[in-house]
Amino acid sequence: MSQHVFDRLLAEHERDVLRVSRSVTRDAHLAADAAQETFLRLWQRLQSGLSPERPGAWLQRVAVHAALDLRRARARRAETLEPLDEGAPLARAEDAAEHALLGRELSGRYERALATLSEGQRVVFLLKHEGGLTLAQAADALELALPTVKTQFARACLKLARALSDERG
Amino acid sequence: MDHDAFQELLCLRLYGELDAEGDARLDAHLSTCAACRSFALELEGGELARRRPAEPDALPAEWAVRRRALRAHARPPRWIPWLTFAAGLAAGIACAFLLRSPASARPGAAPLQVAELDGQAPFVPRAEPPPPSASRGPLARLGARR
């Protein structure tokens, strides 16, 4: 029985769980790790006879926490390794398209602006902006009060808008 | 409220998260503040508004492998149905054997009544040793023909 429930929930929510995980980890491989961890926990819960009342919200919450754990673990590992040389030439063909260069430049600006945010602001902003959650869903997933999340999001958004505008100007 | 607070409200409006009360306050402020109107235009045409990610149309290829692994994990091993069937069959055979066995073999059954014949000793079958198997076997039959 739980196997059918698991298959159904996996099919219904895998896209959302992956998207939320991706928005927090900002890495496809880590996002898949977080999503896999999330669904394994769902299976364990179903095996013990407990079915989440609101599976979508439950999965989002578990996915966000799994993604945050993986992201923090990666950051800790990165601290112990040599930093990458950002000035090193990228392995690319000489005739790389202008479009790719422009896209990379925009992405670089965006990433630099994101790096100016606090951890809490960044997570809330990414869950909304890239994860597609409403702020109420983000508050639920992070187990925070909605006004707190709204404030963090609005501050993050304003900081980013100004940082992007300054870099352009 | 200062300009920063109203510009934060503009951010919430951009993402559809501003409630009706905040909406009204913001509109009232914008009608009198050129700086915030200018910021609103910049925000709407800016990079954040353009970067709103579209709904992804396909799951990453890596996920297909992981989904298969998850489904396999959630499926009971294939030998379990066979084991259940074999255990049921064994139980059925055991039941049939017990039901068909003589009453004497069953514990608690009534003792076997020996024939009660007046003045006659009860019949006791005489146990005779079986003939040597070799005399009835194929070798013996071959020997008899010779």
Side-chain angles (χ1 to χ4, degrees):
Chain A
M1 181 62 191
S2 57
Q3 181 198 330
H4 297 296
V5 176
F6 178 77
D7 281 351
R8 182 174 56 78
L9 292 176
L10 177 63
E12 278 176 13
H13 297 284
E14 61 184 347
R15 195 175 292 272
D16 292 339
V17 166
L18 271 168
R19 191 173 182 182
V20 163
S21 305
R22 175 77 194 253
S23 73
V24 175
T25 60
R26 328 235 35 246
D27 176 291
H29 186 72
L30 275 187
D33 281 351
Q36 187 173 341
E37 172 70 23
T38 301
F39 283 109
L40 278 175
R41 286 196 205 164
L42 172 68
W43 171 244
Q44 285 163 357
R45 196 175 169 90
L46 292 174
Q47 281 290 86
S48 59
L50 297 167
S51 185
E53 271 183 35
R54 293 183 300 138
W58 187 86
L59 285 166
Q60 274 169 2
R61 191 159 52 240
V62 175
V64 166
H65 287 287
L68 281 171
D69 287 348
L70 287 170
R71 186 189 156 110
R72 284 172 190 146
R74 185 180 61 176
R76 278 196 299 273
R77 275 199 307 275
E79 279 171 13
T80 63
L81 297 172
E82 285 287 309
L84 287 171
D85 181 7
E86 288 184 10
L90 296 168
R92 61 170 186 261
E94 281 299 313
D95 58 351
E98 282 289 316
H99 175 75
L101 286 171
L102 184 63
R104 196 173 302 142
E105 191 197 326
L106 287 175
S107 287
R109 280 214 315 248
Y110 177 64
E111 297 299 328
R112 279 193 297 278
L114 271 179
T116 64
L117 302 179
S118 70
E119 168 81 3
Q121 287 175 348
R122 187 166 52 241
V123 170
V124 167
F125 177 80
L126 289 173
L127 283 174
K128 171 74 184 167
H129 182 77
E130 295 188 7
L133 299 190
T134 63
L135 290 184
Q137 287 172 325
D140 191 24
L142 293 165
E143 295 167 280
L144 293 171
L146 180 57
T148 308
V149 168
K150 267 194 173 180
T151 305
Q152 281 188 325
F153 176 78
R155 285 184 185 158
C157 185
L158 185 58
K159 254 194 210 179
L160 280 174
R162 285 177 178 168
L164 290 169
S165 167
D166 287 350
E167 280 218 18
R168 207 173 37 187
Chain B
M1 279 174 86
D2 58 6
H3 294 290
D4 279 2
F6 283 111
Q7 290 177 6
E8 284 177 8
L9 293 185
L10 278 170
C11 289
L12 289 174
R13 181 187 272 179
L14 178 71
Y15 284 86
E17 293 281 354
L18 189 60
D19 56 27
E21 188 208 334
D23 214 41
R25 266 192 302 165
L26 181 59
D27 280 339
H29 177 74
L30 287 176
S31 65
T32 60
C33 179
C36 285
R37 274 202 305 275
S38 163
F39 179 78
L41 286 175
E42 199 177 320
L43 192 65
E44 281 163 20
E47 211 169 309
L48 282 183
R50 284 202 304 274
R51 288 190 68 94
R52 302 289 288 279
E55 192 71 30
D57 51 1
L59 292 167
E62 182 190 0
W63 181 246
V65 179
R66 300 205 186 210
R67 187 205 292 122
R68 254 200 314 277
L70 280 166
R71 286 202 167 130
H73 180 80
R75 200 145 285 133
R78 285 187 181 179
W79 50 266
I80 285 188
W82 286 105
L83 186 69
T84 311
F85 173 74
L89 189 66
I93 290 171
C95 285
F97 179 76
L98 284 173
L99 288 172
R100 287 173 62 89
S101 67
S104 59
R106 276 180 266 152
L112 184 67
Q113 295 296 312
V114 178
E116 291 173 7
L117 299 170
D118 289 340
Q120 290 184 10
F123 173 73
V124 178
R126 195 172 50 187
E128 287 183 23
S133 60
S135 63
R136 289 201 298 187
L139 285 176
R141 283 200 296 275
L142 282 173
R145 277 188 206 150
R146 261 190 273 156

